[in-house]
Structure formats: C-alpha cells, structure tokens
Amino acid sequence: MSTVSAASGSNPSPPENDRVTTVRPEPIFREINAEQTDEVVEIESACMRCFETGVTRLLPTKIPFFREVVLMSFKCDHCGHINNEMQSASEIQKSGIRIELQVQSMADLNRRVVRSDNSSVSIPEVELEIPVQSQKGEVTTVEGIIERTIAGLSQDQDKRRIDHPEAAASIDAYIERLRRLKELSTPFRLHIEDISGNSFVENPLAPATDPQLKTSHFTRSQQQNEQLGLYEQNHEDQNLLKPIAEDEWPIENLHGEVLQFPTNCSSCQAPCETNMKLTNIPHFKEVVIMATVCGACGHKTNEVKSGGGVEPQGVRFRVQIAGREDLTRDVLKSETCSLSIPELDLEVGPHALCGRFTTVEGLLVAMRDQLDGTLFHDSADEATKQQMEQFLGTFDDVMQLKRIITLVLEDPAGNTYVQSLSDDDSEPDGKLSVERFDRSFEDNEQLGLNDMKTEGYEQDA
C-alpha cells in the first residue's frame, strides 16, 4: 500500500491495484439441487474389497424440510465396488426423536427417509430390529431400508447353504417375509428412534398433518448422551462456568447489558456472534432475546427463551384474524408452542419455528417462508408441486385478509403470550380467547417433567 505524507492536506484514494475488495465467502451448505456439481470434493481412498485405489466423492448440502448433511459416494474402477452413505453435518439436537409410520400403500414405500448413524429401525410385524450404529447414515426410502436389509442377509447365502443348511433355510424364509412386506399384502409399521434427533421421514401431505405419520421427541438419558459424546462435569472444581456471587452481578445490571458469545451460523456454519439480552414483557414475565447476524451469508435469526420456569398449566390462545389490526398484535411464541390454522388444515409443531417475539403478521410470514422453502424442488413430482403452490396461494389470500382464519397457539409449558387489544391489557378482547388446561402425561414427557424429582432428591444424590 502507498503511504500518504503528513503534509498532505487530503487522503487520496489508494491506487487501483492497491484497493482491497471484500468478497463474501460462499456458504458451505447450499440447498440441494441437480446442478450442484462444482461443490463435489473428490478424494482418492482405498477400496475395502480389493484394496486398490478408488475415488470418494463428498457433497455438503442442505435437505429442505430437514438440515445440513454430507453425502458420500465411493466407487472402485478395479472391482466395481460401490458404497453410498450420509453423515449428518448439523449439531446434535436438544432432544431425541421417535417416528412411527403406518405403511399402507405403494406411495408409502416411496417416502423419503433420512437416517443418521445414531438411529435404530424396527418393523414389529416381522420382528426386524436394526440397532444404533449398526449401519451408516443414508438418504433412502422405506423400500430402500427393506432392500438394504435383504441385501445384507443375502450375503454369503450360497456358502451358508453348503456349510449350515438349516441356518440358510431359516434366513431364506425370513427374506421371503421381508419381500412380502414390499408387496403390501398387509400394512405394517416402521419405527425410527434417533437419539441425536437428526432423522426424518417425508410427509407428502405437507403442510397438512399426516394421519399415518407420528413424530414425538424425548429427553435423552445420561447413557445416551455419553453414547453421543456428550459428558457432564460432576465435580464443581472442574466446571468451566463458575457461579457468580449473589451481590457481584445485580439483576438490574443484567437487564441493561447486551451479552455476546461466539457461535456458528445456522445457514452456512460460518463463525459469527450472537447478541443476548434479558428483558421484561409487560403483563407477562422476563424473557431472554437472542439475535444473530452472519457476516458471511447475511442470514439473520432471532430467538426468544423464557426466563421463568414451566407454568402449572398449559395455555391455548385462539386469535381471529379478520382485519389489519389483528395482524399487529404482539406475540411471544416459546420454543414449546405449536401453531395451527383449522380453516387451512395446517399444523406446525413446536420444533418447526424457534421461540420468537414478533407480531401475528410476522408469525404468518415466518410460517409461509418455511413452507415455501421446504419443498424438494428438483425431486418432487408435479402433483406435489401443484399442491404446495395451491396452498401457498391460499396462504397469500390470508395475508391479504381475503379469508378470515383463526390462529391457534398451544403451549403446554404456558410460556407463550398474545397481546390483547382491549383497553385493559390484562383482559382478552372479543377476537382473542385464552384457555388454561392441565397437561397430559405425553405433554409432561416431552417437557421432561415426568422424570423430575422435586422431593427427597438429596438422599439419591
């Protein structure tokens, strides 16, 4: 760079060759599409069958309706050996996931399935169980899971028929049972349990709920956390975060302080910073607001966490949206709150949209944007595309107030808030109803309350 003398009265622009241009790095994980060829990484690696040199291809990508994955494909030109697998590139989720699918038609056999290494699969009707980490992760279909099982059982069958004919006959009989599953002579159930929370089964009726597909989340046990490499510090002197003395950091200072901590962008995984602030919402409670702006890809996120505990009862809000003023209501949606619009047969689970402090309009826009970005644009058939486009058109009519709808927010933890437009903010207005309800056993299970012991825990410790 050229220097400017102190006697110079102005700061001239640097020469053209010395100018520094800032180039934003491309996101590592892009939406999956058929033209994604420039991001494929090729690595020479040894073939496990003939021990000659083959080629492994890696493709980091994002699966709509899901998250980031790395697709891996190996091919050996010497012996023709081929191997494909999928590795999850996203973080381990806060909860494990259980998925149950009722397979009743040929279309169900073609449903896309994303399995991580930490998932187990079972089909009770044929007593099939695939344990955790016994197979590599993959992007497949329901039929593909059955085919892979048949292929694994068929290995060495010719040799086994000579050495152990009785065992081979038993395996042949079981393979025939699996083949009958593909013919759908009788319906069957597919169970997937993933302790990392990174597995997924396609819902062809999205954004509507699928009566054949049930998804639930669960809190991992200590053994499951350790299986994922998540360990807890049991000794206070080894903790990285030391407790703060009671008078060292007053709560008044915390309300006025914006804290920052490093994190990774949820869109491109580039390092960035998250701002966090504790604030008080009138007629409600304290909440923690977190906002992240990625300097690499420009992605922005905001999230709200409840500053209090779980309420004694759950809460259900029903908001009628008929005019412009209804869209301006303030809404605090917690991460345990599910959304639904009965007129559109639309349900959005609590994990689809993170906790956020916004308006009714902002909530509807976030729901529409997520639906618009969840379609498998390249691989979806025309009927699925037309169905989604028709639904998005109906959603646009709602945003333009051409249709009157009811937005239902249900939070079993009771940490969601909707602003009232009445003169007395503490009382609901004519278009807002508030209902308190007792949680079910399943609600408490998802919140982790059934395993919580509040009395006599000192003896167990």
Side-chain angles (χ1 to χ4, degrees), residues 266-314:
S266 59
S267 178
C268 69
Q269 301 300 317
C272 56
E273 286 192 339
T274 294
N275 298 323
M276 181 177 70
K277 188 178 187 302
L278 182 67
T279 188
N280 198 337
I281 296 181
H283 308 292
F284 191 53
K285 59 173 68 173
E286 289 179 341
V287 296
V288 179
I289 299 179
M290 294 185 288
T292 305
V293 178
C294 178
C297 68
H299 183 64
K300 298 179 181 179
T301 60
N302 66 82
E303 189 172 353
V304 175
K305 300 282 188 181
S306 173
V310 178
E311 294 293 314
Q313 289 183 304

Side-chain angles (χ1 to χ4, degrees), residues 133-250:
Q133 295 182 345
S134 61
Q135 292 182 353
K136 293 292 185 181
E138 59 181 343
V139 180
T140 181
T141 61
V142 175
E143 185 177 11
I145 293 176
I146 300 174
E147 278 290 350
R148 185 173 180 178
T149 304
I150 292 175
L153 292 173
S154 300
Q155 287 183 355
D156 300 327
Q157 268 294 83
D158 293 337
K159 185 175 184 299
R160 198 178 290 117
R161 290 188 183 98
I162 299 174
D163 298 337
H164 306 283
E166 294 182 0
S170 177
I171 293 175
D172 285 334
Y174 189 77
I175 290 176
E176 186 60 31
R177 292 178 64 188
L178 294 177
R179 289 201 173 105
R180 283 199 296 269
L181 286 181
K182 297 195 301 177
E183 298 171 0
L184 284 177
S185 53
T186 57
F188 64 92
R189 293 166 295 163
L190 176 70
H191 292 253
I192 297 179
E193 180 172 313
D194 188 347
I195 58 176
S196 69
N198 286 326
S199 290
F200 161 82
V201 174
E202 179 192 8
N203 174 11
L205 303 179
T209 55
D210 186 351
Q212 296 174 224
L213 184 64
K214 296 180 181 179
T215 302
S216 61
H217 296 81
F218 63 91
T219 303
R220 287 186 292 268
S221 65
Q222 181 179 351
Q223 181 181 1
Q224 290 172 332
N225 279 329
E226 292 177 357
Q227 191 173 353
L228 294 172
L230 305 176
Y231 293 89
E232 296 180 358
Q233 293 284 359
N234 296 323
H235 304 290
E236 187 175 340
D237 56 345
Q238 294 180 353
N239 289 340
L240 295 176
L241 299 178
K242 304 297 182 181
I244 300 176
E246 186 174 351
D247 55 349
E248 186 177 344
W249 191 260

